[in-house]
Amino acid sequence: MIAYLSGVVREVREASAVIVAGGVGYEVFCPASTLGKLTPGQPAELNTRFVVREDAQLLFGFSDADSLRLFDLLTGVSGVGPKLGLALLSAMPVSAIAQGLITGDVKLLSSVSGVGKKTAERLVLELQNKVPEHLAAPTTGARAAPVNSTAGRDAIEALLALGFREGQVRGVVAELLAADPAQSADALIRRGLGKLR
């Protein structure tokens, strides 16, 4: 079992990164939030999960322990594989997913590409009482911000008009407002585009 990887980033790809550790290059599949923090030539430390299947041996990496914990919970649900787990973690912040599971927000979860309504319902049914509350804690204020602030609502509408998925947009705007509630709609749209692309 490979539980942790520390090395130098050799390459960042669309869905994975190559980390060189001890002279060996490991391909590590990561959510977008983790890939965004990796820079070629720079050191990296990842919490990892090694998955062995009949046709492949895959290594998944996360920049923080909470993402790994949620990944383990998601992939523990029947019919949810590692790729779908990564898709969810790439679409929105950990806190937004955790809040969605706890509150039974099937619409939010099914807004992620590859997650149908039945899968979202199964995730809620199996994980609603298993998600540690601290994973959802930051979201409470963050989720309220886009709804209660004009700038947040305007930013969400603008990003949705550009064709981004609702689940992704709401998660990103919530995260940005949690960091700085006083941001203007223009700033939220600009920064949101940077995170969504």
Side-chain angles (χ1 to χ4, degrees):
M1 176 72 72
I2 302 172
Y4 173 83
L5 186 63
S6 176
V8 175
V9 180
R10 180 179 177 87
E11 183 183 351
V12 178
R13 300 173 178 173
E14 187 177 339
S16 66
V18 177
I19 310 292
V20 177
V24 179
Y26 295 88
E27 182 175 20
V28 189
F29 293 89
C30 308
S33 57
T34 295
L35 288 173
K37 296 175 183 175
L38 302 178
T39 305
Q42 296 298 310
E45 296 182 5
L46 298 174
N47 296 284
T48 58
R49 182 64 68 231
F50 186 53
V51 177
V52 179
R53 301 192 316 210
E54 286 183 16
D55 59 340
Q57 296 182 20
L58 304 170
L59 189 61
F60 297 88
F62 308 88
S63 59
D64 60 273
D66 285 346
S67 295
L68 174 59
R69 174 81 175 117
L70 191 55
F71 176 78
D72 286 341
L73 285 169
L74 292 168
T75 55
V77 174
S78 175
V80 178
K83 287 188 178 178
L84 197 53
L86 275 193
L88 277 157
L89 286 164
S90 290
M92 60 188 89
V94 166
S95 54
I97 300 170
Q99 188 72 20
L101 291 168
I102 290 170
T103 60
D105 194 341
V106 171
K107 186 178 178 184
L108 174 71
L109 298 170
S110 60
S111 70
V112 177
S113 179
V115 181
K117 187 181 178 186
K118 286 187 178 181
T119 301
E121 288 172 345
R122 192 182 316 122
L123 285 166
V124 168
L125 181 67
E126 293 193 29
L127 300 180
Q128 195 164 30
N129 298 317
K130 293 181 182 177
V131 176
E133 286 192 18
H134 77 273
L135 294 184
T139 308
T140 307
R143 277 177 69 84
V147 178
N148 294 335
S149 77
T150 304
R153 283 195 299 270
D154 290 349
I156 287 172
E157 285 180 23
L159 292 167
L160 288 176
L162 292 171
F164 292 105
R165 293 180 173 275
E166 185 176 358
Q168 290 177 295
V169 169
R170 288 190 180 279
V172 165
V173 172
E175 190 177 25
L176 290 169
L177 280 170
D180 179 5
Q183 293 182 82
S184 67
D186 286 344
L188 288 168
I189 293 166
R190 192 172 59 253
R191 289 178 182 143
L193 282 170
K195 283 180 171 283
L196 289 163
R197 282 180 176 158

